Amino acid sequence: MKIFLQTLAVAFGMFSAVPLPQPVWNKQNMRYALCAFPAVGLVSGAGLLGFAALCRALGAGSVLRAAGLCLLPVLVTGGIHLDGFADTCDALASCALPEKKQQILADPHCGAFAVIRLCSWFLACFALWTQLPDGRALMALAIGQVLSRALSGYAVARFPLAKNTGLAHTFATAADRAFAGRFLAVLAGVCMAAQAVCARGPGVGAALAALLCLWRYRAVAQKQFGGISGDLAGWFLTRCELWQLAAAVVCQMAESVLR
């Protein structure tokens, strides 16, 4: 039980802003830390459902509701994934060789393309949330918070790494990669099935969007960077959650038109 709680604390301490006592990292509590990563998504997803319920109870308008749903996952994570998203956007926009892109990822400064992409992401996320009322689609997207992290952890366990240093390398080398890959693949499958059951069309759309993002993640990481890294993992997770939201909104609109 002690190792289990320490493993959760490692995952939350690294990938969230939830204040928990932090143990010293060692082989025991790092071995299954990738498997604990989706637990952060449980907190984020529960937060989305709770905030939506609060807005409904208070009669809050769609703008306030959408702003809260857009920002709440950022508050839970502390923005760690958006940091990787911004760095990766700068690197991709450089059109440089993979070695130069790796140098851009390591640069702590925020470039113009990072700012543009971040502003675009927040605007798109906010606009899409205004179009998604409470209901089963919201539940599917709450599950999507777990799904995105299951797929991200799976990628760290199974995809080639770009370098022998960094956050992704630390977690990958410390993990039981075979077990983590199997566990996270099964968890991702369960999440996608739950999305389909919860929301039918929007849920299926969100699940397919997540898989498409995973395919794109591997293709871009391999071709543009020579493998995945911590920053690329943040880029993937941020895109995965946005595209799940977009797919759910489009599918829900299509269902409304066809009725």
Side-chain angles (χ1 to χ4, degrees):
M1 178 60 72
K2 180 180 179 181
I3 295 299
F4 172 74
L5 293 176
Q6 286 186 357
T7 299
L8 281 177
V10 168
F12 274 87
M14 188 66 248
F15 300 112
S16 82
V18 177
L20 289 176
Q22 282 302 296
V24 176
W25 291 8
N26 55 47
K27 290 183 178 179
Q28 287 73 33
N29 58 36
M30 287 289 289
R31 187 177 185 185
Y32 301 111
L34 284 177
C35 300
F37 181 28
V40 179
L42 280 175
V43 174
S44 183
L48 291 178
L49 296 175
F51 183 78
L54 179 64
C55 288
R56 185 170 60 252
L58 298 177
S62 61
V63 171
L64 177 60
R65 174 183 177 276
L69 293 174
C70 177
L71 294 174
L72 196 144
V74 180
L75 296 177
V76 171
T77 63
I80 184 173
H81 307 301
L82 284 172
D83 176 66
F85 173 77
D87 289 342
T88 303
C89 288
D90 268 340
L92 288 172
S94 71
C95 298
L97 295 174
E99 294 78 10
K100 179 61 176 178
K101 288 187 174 76
Q102 290 291 348
Q103 295 176 17
I104 295 172
L105 289 181
D107 189 339
H109 298 92
C110 190
F113 287 101
V115 175
I116 292 169
R117 298 292 194 278
L118 282 171
C119 291
S120 299
W121 185 89
F122 276 108
L123 180 59
C125 185
F126 170 76
L128 289 166
W129 276 122
T130 64
Q131 299 301 305
L132 194 79
D134 290 343
R136 296 189 173 189
L138 179 60
M139 176 63 76
L141 291 170
I143 296 170
Q145 296 284 311
V146 180
L147 173 60
S148 62
R149 286 160 176 80
L151 293 176
S152 182
Y154 172 83
V156 172
R158 293 297 177 90
F159 291 0
L161 298 173
K163 54 184 180 179
N164 294 327
T165 58
L167 185 61
H169 178 264
T170 298
F171 275 82
T173 54
D176 182 338
R177 296 179 73 175
F179 176 84
R182 290 193 298 268
F183 174 84
L184 293 168
V186 171
L187 178 60
V190 170
C191 288
M192 288 186 285
Q195 286 180 312
V197 170
C198 282
R200 298 182 182 178
V204 172
L208 292 177
L211 289 177
L212 182 61
C213 285
L214 182 68
W215 170 81
R216 178 65 176 164
Y217 175 30
R218 178 160 191 171
V220 170
Q222 194 66 38
K223 182 178 180 180
Q224 303 285 348
F225 297 90
I228 68 169
S229 66
D231 285 320
L232 283 161
W235 176 77
F236 160 72
L237 192 144
T238 302
R239 284 167 50 87
C240 183
E241 293 179 354
L242 180 65
W243 283 103
Q244 284 188 79
L245 173 57
V249 169
V250 170
C251 290
Q252 188 162 271
M253 287 179 172
E255 285 184 346
S256 299
V257 170
L258 294 173
R259 283 174 186 167

